Amino acid sequence: MSAASTQPIISVSNLSKTFASGLQALKNIDLDIRRGEIFALLGPNGAGKTTLISTICGIVNPTEGSVTVDGHDIITDFRAARSMIGLVPQELTTDAFESVWGTVSFSRGLFGKRPNPAHLEKVLKDLSLWNRKDSKIITLSGGMKRRLLIAKALSHEPQILFLDEPTAGVDVELRRDMWQLVRSLQAGGVTIILTTHYIDEAEEMADRVGVISKGEIILVENKAELMRKLGRKQLTLHLQNTLQLVPPELANYHLELANGGSDLIYTYDTQGDRTSIATLLEDLDRAGISFKDLQTTQSSLEDIFVSLVRKNK
Amino acid sequence: MNVQAIRAIYRFEMARTRRTLMQSIISPVISTSLYFVVFGAAIGSRIAQVEGISYGAFIVPGLIMLSLLTQSISNASFGIYFPKFTGTIYELLSAPISYFEIVVSYVGAAATKSIILGLIILATAGLFVPLRIAHPFWMILFLVLTAVTFSLVGFIIGIWADGFEKLQLVPLLIVTPLTFLGGSFYSIDMLPPLWQTVTLFNPVVYLISGFRWSFYGIADVSVAVSLAMTIVFMAISLAIVAWIFKTGYRLKT
């Protein structure tokens, strides 16, 4: 890999935003987005996800700090910075009476690109909008409008794509299609930053995950690493005979009884000593507790996210 | 310079005009024709000539100015207010386009529309009264300067407005009265001395006077003053637009 390609494509440093109302939406954000990755920004409502994206894209003025896009400062060198970015906003904000073709052509021109009907045709076909290219936007369904916003962002061949809640209000099938599209964009070298409420989306798509809460980035981690580090596993044993109490000799395992005493639950860290299960089973045997079945579950990104945000409260 | 962006916005705005042909072109032409029928033919036939020109012909420059002013303002204010209203302004703000280019494209499109309209009204007037244009170059210059200046004013109103009512407020309560009282339908000489002085504080007087001079060679105030005042209005509007973009007023938080 060359030096240029290992440099972050977006570098946010010490970024703060305080609105006129006094609300501090972003607090000293430091964040690097790597070239070619899919970065998922998670956070509860009002955490500052959209403000962060809007600031990088030039819609909101930062109060403090700086952002560079491929080395271009977003304020002093806004032209170079912005021409690399495609933004798909959260709200379905479209014109009403313009045609699909008209609006994607407009977006391409707005970003300083010469007309290229072949590219626009490809984008519209990829998003299953080609047969509606002459339709007025007002006649499109919600899902089509969502895809149209993506088409507008892709019309000018961005190297970075921001997707702010791209699958909000989109049906399951369309979500799958969209994930497919995002993957193919990534394969084509586009860096993708998405915010989402659907944690499974981040789990499915992202290379790295950032969690923002109350205007602060509280965690940035490789997704797999995050799952490994913070992921907890649970072992559930379905007992032969119900138990009233966990025998005191097993107190070290912090076991829980569930389902009226017929299930015994053991929670452990995936990082922890794997042999603890083996010793638990031995100790159970020694205590005369037998089980007819067992199952293990691993916590999802959602559980991790919820516990992180709760901690930050 | 992002020429592609200027072209894209300009085209987009002109396409909007084509979609709203009735509202943009036909309705002003009809209302102007009605002015001719009422003022020119019905009332004008009872009014003696004004400074050697038939009354019907005398009001032509004023009528064109009336439409030019109101349409420039309404075109430009709608053009920029609508993206704010629908939220599509996000795209404009995130595009690699400078404020100067945004103004050039929106104001350029609005001014183009009102100039086309002015010329259509001129042609319509030609059907009712004999026309004479003594100084065609100056006529076009006044037409263009006024259209651009008031499109800038419209742009400012469009940015300032946070509702449809405000959008209509300035044209309705300020521009239309000033135009009617600015000598569209009469020569200032016809007023009592006190009102003549008061009228000189009405900026529209200078626009109409200069424009009328380019037709018939007669003016209420000197042409140089008219031209200077038009340029001053333009400079003031430009300064306000520059301030809006510098501060992000009503555009960016």
Side-chain angles (χ1 to χ4, degrees):
Chain A
M1 234 185 238
S2 70
S5 62
T6 53
Q7 290 223 322
I9 195 158
I10 295 177
S11 187
V12 178
S13 71
N14 197 31
L15 187 72
S16 293
K17 173 65 190 179
T18 308
F19 287 106
S21 62
L23 174 78
Q24 196 178 5
L26 299 176
K27 297 171 192 165
N28 307 96
I29 302 264
D30 286 302
L31 179 67
D32 281 349
I33 304 294
R34 295 175 191 158
R35 202 172 294 267
E37 74 174 336
I38 298 181
F39 185 89
L41 190 60
L42 303 180
N45 283 328
K49 300 185 294 287
T50 301
T51 306
L52 178 58
I53 289 182
S54 299
T55 310
I56 298 172
C57 293
I59 299 168
V60 168
N61 288 326
T63 311
E64 219 183 302
S66 66
V67 180
T68 58
V69 177
D70 204 18
H72 306 289
D73 185 273
I74 57 157
I75 291 170
T76 57
D77 198 4
F78 73 93
R79 254 187 232 276
R82 290 185 197 170
S83 59
M84 296 181 70
I85 299 177
L87 168 64
V88 182
Q90 190 174 339
E91 306 283 336
L92 288 177
T93 44
T94 55
D95 292 300
F97 305 109
E98 182 63 77
S99 71
V100 167
W101 183 260
T103 197
V104 288
S105 307
F106 172 77
S107 295
R108 186 174 169 86
L110 202 57
F111 279 73
K113 292 279 197 311
R114 291 181 176 285
N116 182 350
H119 175 72
L120 296 186
E121 182 177 336
K122 183 184 179 305
V123 168
L124 290 181
K125 280 183 173 160
D126 285 348
L127 286 155
S128 320
L129 285 168
W130 179 244
N131 60 347
R132 299 299 301 267
K133 74 181 172 71
D134 298 317
S135 304
K136 283 185 178 175
I137 299 169
I138 200 168
T139 65
L140 302 182
S141 71
M144 286 178 186
K145 282 184 186 155
R146 175 75 59 196
R147 279 178 282 155
L148 178 61
L149 287 175
I150 299 177
K152 276 165 77 73
L154 295 179
S155 69
H156 50 85
E157 302 164 64
Q159 291 173 48
I160 302 164
L161 184 67
F162 281 95
L163 294 163
D164 198 357
E165 306 271 349
T167 51
V170 162
D171 66 38
V172 181
E173 199 182 344
L174 193 56
R175 263 176 90 187
R176 297 261 159 216
D177 289 351
M178 240 177 238
W179 291 353
Q180 198 58 44
L181 177 81
V182 168
R183 280 205 195 87
S184 69
L185 285 170
Q186 186 190 28
V190 179
T191 306
I192 290 144
I193 297 105
L194 62 93
T195 73
T196 180
H197 271 116
Y198 302 111
I199 316 258
D200 57 329
E201 193 159 84
E203 201 167 339
E204 169 90 26
M205 308 285 305
D207 299 313
R208 286 196 308 150
V209 175
V211 178
I212 184 168
S213 174
K214 293 182 182 166
E216 287 176 280
I217 295 274
I218 53 178
L219 175 121
V220 176
E221 191 73 81
N222 194 307
K223 184 188 67 187
E225 184 73 8
L226 178 68
M227 302 285 291
R228 199 179 66 76
K229 247 199 230 170
L230 295 176
R232 301 178 81 74
K233 265 194 158 178
Q234 272 190 340
L235 170 70
T236 306
L237 298 163
H238 304 294
L239 305 176
Q240 290 281 13
N241 305 305
T242 56
L243 274 181
Q244 296 302 318
L245 273 173
V246 178
E249 60 264 37
L250 298 173
N252 284 343
Y253 294 103
H254 303 288
L255 301 173
E256 286 168 71
L257 277 171
N259 209 5
S262 63
D263 288 353
L264 197 58
I265 298 170
Y266 173 48
T267 307
Y268 61 102
D269 255 340
T270 46
Q271 268 189 317
D273 188 359
R274 296 257 169 175
T275 58
S276 65
I277 295 177
T279 54
L280 170 70
L281 296 182
E282 279 168 23
D283 288 347
L284 282 173
D285 193 38
R286 213 165 288 145
I289 300 170
S290 52
F291 53 93
K292 51 188 176 192
D293 198 5
L294 60 82
Q295 72 184 76
T296 62
T297 52
Q298 183 155 20
S299 59
S300 66
L301 197 51
E302 180 155 4
D303 304 326
I304 299 169
F305 170 72
V306 169
S307 76
L308 264 175
V309 171
R310 203 169 279 158
K311 250 188 243 166
N312 196 46
K313 269 189 180 163
Chain B
M1 179 77 84
N2 188 346
V3 181
Q4 297 293 343
I6 295 176
R7 189 181 294 171
I9 297 174
Y10 187 86
R11 272 196 186 164
F12 182 88
E13 284 298 296
M14 296 311 281
R16 200 163 56 84
T17 311
R18 280 195 294 279
R19 284 200 301 271
T20 54
L21 207 61
M22 282 296 279
Q23 183 201 326
S24 306
I25 303 282
I26 298 175
S27 92
V29 168
I30 289 176
S31 63
T32 312
S33 303
L34 290 173
Y35 280 124
F36 275 116
V37 172
V38 175
F39 288 100
I43 299 175
S45 60
R46 291 160 190 269
I47 296 179
Q49 293 190 332
V50 183
E51 300 183 39
I53 297 148
S54 79
Y55 185 69
F58 178 83
I59 63 171
V60 171
L63 277 179
I64 295 175
M65 273 290 162
L66 179 65
S67 292
L68 202 64
L69 262 51
T70 49
Q71 289 301 312
S72 296
I73 289 180
S74 111
N75 287 335
S77 60
F78 247 83
I80 193 69
Y81 177 73
F82 226 71
K84 273 186 10 173
F85 176 70
T86 58
T88 53
I89 191 119
Y90 84 86
E91 203 178 15
L92 199 61
L93 295 176
S94 64
I97 176 168
S98 70
Y99 298 140
F100 175 73
E101 289 154 3
I102 293 178
V103 173
V104 166
S105 35
Y106 275 102
V107 168
T112 307
K113 282 183 236 176
S114 44
I115 290 168
I116 292 172
L117 188 72
L119 294 175
I120 291 175
I121 292 173
L122 184 64
T124 314
L127 301 175
F128 292 90
V129 288
L131 282 178
R132 177 164 63 87
I133 301 169
H135 310 285
F137 168 77
W138 289 95
M139 192 275 279
I140 295 292
L141 183 71
F142 272 112
L143 196 70
V144 171
L145 282 180
T146 309
V148 169
T149 303
F150 280 80
S151 296
L152 282 168
V153 173
F155 189 86
I156 295 165
I157 294 170
I159 299 265
W160 164 76
D162 49 14
F164 280 97
E165 200 196 26
K166 276 192 181 173
L167 212 54
Q168 306 286 0
L169 210 64
V170 176
L172 216 59
L173 292 186
I174 300 175
V175 178
T176 308
L178 285 183
T179 317
F180 270 84
L181 300 175
S184 298
F185 298 103
Y186 51 84
S187 163
I188 294 175
D189 292 343
M190 294 165 154
L191 299 172
L194 171 69
W195 286 106
Q196 283 191 26
T197 314
V198 172
T199 299
L200 290 178
F201 288 96
N202 177 355
V204 179
V205 165
Y206 302 92
L207 303 175
I208 293 179
S209 171
F211 197 49
R212 185 173 288 135
W213 171 84
S214 69
F215 278 76
Y216 307 120
I218 52 165
D220 289 325
V221 290
S222 114
V223 182
V225 174
S226 284
L227 188 63
M229 290 299 267
T230 311
I231 291 171
V232 166
F233 298 143
M234 189 188 252
I236 293 172
S237 307
L238 278 173
I240 297 174
V241 169
W243 173 82
I244 284 174
F245 280 127
K246 199 170 166 225
T247 58
Y249 174 74
R250 299 248 164 128
L251 278 177
K252 280 192 185 187
T253 45

